[in-house]
Amino acid sequence: MTHFEIFGLAPALDLDVKALEQKLRDLSLEFHPDRFAQADARTRLAALEKTTALNDAFKVLKDPVRRAFYVLKLKGIDLENDAAAAKAKMPLEFLEEVMERREQLEALKAKRDVEKARAMADGIEKERSSALEQAKAALGRDDVNEAAHQLGRVKYFTRFVEEVEALEEEALS
Amino acid sequence: MAYSEKVIEHYENPRNVGSMDKEDPNVGTGLVGAPACGDVMRLQLKISDDGMIQDAKFKTFGCGSAIASSSLVTEWVKGKSVDDAVQITNKEIAKELSLPPVKIHCSVLAEDAIKAAIKDFQEKRAKRQGAATTPAVSPSTSTQP
């Protein structure tokens, strides 16, 4: 069963997260282990598995980035776990850009210049949104290679933003 | 996830971190990345004209296993010939560092970086040799105003 099927949904890139949350609550009640306390072991185990599967599915589906990676996976490319797919080459120019920006960020970190780092992260967050939109468009027309490429970019941008967030937290403490 | 002793050791004391002049004809640069984790790894090798690796530097932005893998290969390739260095496999790297299955791609990245750096050096050299012989082949073109 796919994460979408667990929620009785067709695979989709855009989801109403509020409605998804409501469905999670309804289904969680339906399969709550307490309701099966008197049942036989097999039924209890099945209910527990269902609950775990529901929660796992929700975690993936509520996040637009993870959802897009998941749709790509359903289309045959597991970018997050498959070593072969992970090796899918990012263009050299893009890697050069990533390296350059990471070095800039490293220098800002050394100077504890959180403000400039945040400004960089803001710009990169915009690029991340646009890459995600392009990935979704590519998935929509079944262009999995382009989708994988754009989601690879999303991953790099996310990593960068996370670094800045870590720096901000460090500066606060 | 628990890192092995060797990974932690390389992570805390990375060997040969830095960069070289990528325009230097004797420097080969390998830049590789894994979209699975958003890592980027640069390996630079200083290679003599007779194909011996004299020095190696790396810069990696990534997890501990990626840093350890690249740090380790800088140690391994130094003093090796280019022909021997391209034989290094990700399996050897992963074994030395006791990488868990989910981190194997870090060792793959390091192997790819060695190969990319050597390829860059060889392409540069081929271009240089091409450029050196071109004027001799067609001397007439350069004298035209």
Side-chain angles (χ1 to χ4, degrees):
Chain A
M1 230 190 207
T2 72
H3 291 339
F4 289 106
E5 285 165 356
I6 287 172
F7 279 94
L9 295 166
L13 290 158
D14 291 300
L15 281 183
D16 180 350
V17 177
K18 276 251 151 52
L20 192 71
E21 221 165 335
Q22 185 56 50
K23 216 161 201 172
L24 173 72
R25 271 197 294 268
D26 296 347
L27 289 169
S28 294
L29 278 177
E30 196 175 318
F31 294 102
H32 198 280
D34 285 357
R35 291 194 53 197
F36 300 92
Q38 307 303 322
D40 60 278
R42 186 188 296 263
T43 311
R44 286 202 314 264
L45 189 63
L48 185 66
E49 277 174 355
K50 187 85 184 184
T51 303
T52 312
L54 262 175
N55 289 325
D56 288 348
F58 181 68
K59 261 184 236 159
V60 172
L61 296 187
K62 71 169 177 183
D63 175 10
V65 172
R66 293 191 67 183
R67 193 190 308 143
F69 273 97
Y70 186 67
V71 172
L72 181 66
K73 185 179 166 183
L74 293 180
K75 288 183 191 286
I77 300 186
D78 187 353
L79 210 53
E80 283 174 308
N81 298 307
D82 179 8
K87 266 186 75 180
K89 298 267 182 291
M90 298 301 288
L92 195 59
E93 307 80 62
F94 179 71
L95 290 176
E96 278 170 354
E97 197 183 294
V98 170
M99 183 53 94
E100 202 173 296
R101 284 166 156 179
R102 293 298 295 258
E103 285 181 326
Q104 280 171 18
L105 180 60
E106 194 182 41
L108 292 174
K109 264 184 181 174
K111 287 189 287 183
R112 301 196 153 271
D113 192 339
V114 182
E115 228 168 274
K116 277 218 181 83
R118 173 37 58 190
M120 279 186 86
D122 286 346
I124 285 170
E125 272 172 354
K126 284 200 190 90
E127 286 183 65
R128 179 174 60 173
S129 307
S130 128
L132 180 59
E133 286 313 310
Q134 290 180 58
K136 282 161 68 176
L139 283 169
R141 55 175 194 271
D142 269 336
D143 185 350
V144 286
N145 289 329
E146 174 66 9
H149 168 65
Q150 293 299 343
L151 286 175
R153 295 181 68 217
V154 167
K155 201 84 192 178
Y156 275 99
F157 295 145
T158 302
R159 186 46 60 86
F160 187 95
V161 172
E162 284 170 355
E163 284 291 316
V164 175
E165 284 166 356
L167 177 67
E168 287 172 327
E169 260 171 50
E170 217 181 275
L172 281 174
S173 60
Chain B
M1 175 200 328
Y3 282 121
S4 72
E5 298 262 322
K6 277 182 180 157
V7 169
I8 292 169
E9 215 277 306
H10 274 280
Y11 181 72
E12 288 184 338
N13 308 293
R15 328 286 201 270
N16 309 306
V17 174
S19 59
M20 296 177 187
D21 176 11
K22 67 174 187 182
E23 304 306 324
D24 183 333
N26 286 98
V27 170
T29 301
L31 183 61
V32 293
C37 44
D39 287 358
V40 58
M41 181 184 288
R42 182 180 63 209
L43 178 70
Q44 292 186 297
L45 305 176
K46 188 159 180 76
I47 303 168
S48 67
D49 290 328
D50 57 354
M52 296 299 290
I53 299 173
Q54 297 164 315
D55 199 5
K57 294 272 186 223
F58 86 95
K59 189 90 182 253
T60 294
F61 293 100
C63 65
S65 303
I67 290 169
S69 297
S70 36
S71 172
L72 177 69
V73 299
T74 59
E75 283 193 316
W76 276 3
V77 297
K78 266 204 232 182
K80 275 200 167 72
S81 70
V82 161
D83 296 336
D84 287 340
V86 289
Q87 303 294 325
I88 295 174
T89 65
N90 84 289
K91 283 202 182 77
E92 295 168 88
I93 301 165
K95 191 173 165 220
E96 173 70 17
L97 296 172
S98 320
L99 296 181
V102 290
K103 291 292 179 185
I104 295 300
H105 68 267
C106 299
S107 62
V108 173
L109 215 51
E111 179 193 323
D112 287 350
I114 301 174
K115 295 194 162 77
I118 289 172
K119 185 164 167 257
D120 179 55
F121 166 76
Q122 286 169 340
E123 282 173 1
K124 262 185 188 174
R125 190 171 56 179
K127 209 180 271 176
R128 197 154 39 115
Q129 283 168 349
T133 53
T134 313
V137 177
S138 53
S140 57
T141 51
S142 60
T143 51
Q144 298 298 324

